[in-house]
Amino acid sequence: MGLDQATEDLRQSGASTDQQHCDDRSVYALSSQADPETVKIGVSQDVGARRKSLQSGSGPPLVVRWTSSGGGWLEDRLHGRFAARALGREWFDFRDTADPVQMIAQAVQELLRQAGTTSPAPALRKTVRPRQQGAATGAARC
């Protein structure tokens, strides 16, 4: 998915806008000390606890390299942006890049700029549209 498509998806999303608005989880980039160019881009309410959970299945120490607000909205767009680098699930190959964290941070800034904002939280608020008359109201509000 290109950045233009990701931005269009943001503008047209509607099925779970309340969840997107309420998603206060952090997006993170994590890698091992031994292989800093193989990066997991994920989302978690507690990044430190998530790192510890992942560490139990990994030999070399894992290091959180980058975090941002933005929840699932930002995680999904980053996965789309780096799809060509995907190694499986949420792991990405940045071996041809001098600084994976800088590349991720620049992608975030570009996504936000295209969405017309400078931080993930306002980008999420932009997705919330007024409910249509007669629409279901089962989703929880913040």
Side-chain angles (χ1 to χ4, degrees):
M1 172 189 315
L3 290 175
D4 290 338
Q5 183 61 49
T7 302
E8 186 60 25
D9 290 349
L10 165 67
R11 289 188 177 128
Q12 292 185 5
S13 65
S16 60
T17 55
D18 290 333
Q19 289 176 327
Q20 291 171 356
H21 176 69
C22 298
D23 192 348
D24 63 349
R25 296 175 297 166
S26 295
V27 180
Y28 62 86
L30 171 144
S31 64
S32 74
Q33 285 182 349
D35 186 8
E37 293 87 19
T38 300
V39 176
K40 178 183 188 333
I41 298 174
V43 65
S44 179
Q45 191 69 41
D46 183 341
V47 175
R50 180 66 177 138
R51 185 203 61 78
K52 288 179 185 176
S53 170
L54 292 167
Q55 184 65 61
S56 68
S58 175
L62 296 176
V63 178
V64 175
R65 307 284 180 182
W66 173 88
T67 63
S68 173
S69 60
W73 174 86
L74 184 56
E75 180 198 34
D76 288 346
R77 270 113 194 118
L78 288 172
H79 286 181
R81 171 67 174 87
F82 297 119
R85 297 176 174 277
L87 296 171
R89 299 189 53 134
E90 298 184 326
W91 290 90
F92 299 85
D93 182 356
F94 287 93
R95 292 180 201 284
D96 64 343
T97 303
D99 188 348
V101 171
Q102 181 180 3
M103 181 177 263
I104 293 166
Q106 286 174 340
V108 168
Q109 291 308 309
E110 189 171 342
L111 284 164
L112 295 175
R113 186 173 40 256
Q114 288 187 357
T117 188
T118 58
S119 69
L124 298 177
R125 283 193 287 277
K126 283 179 165 270
T127 67
V128 179
R129 291 186 243 160
R131 289 193 182 275
Q132 294 177 354
Q133 192 170 15
T137 57
R141 290 260 192 220
C142 290

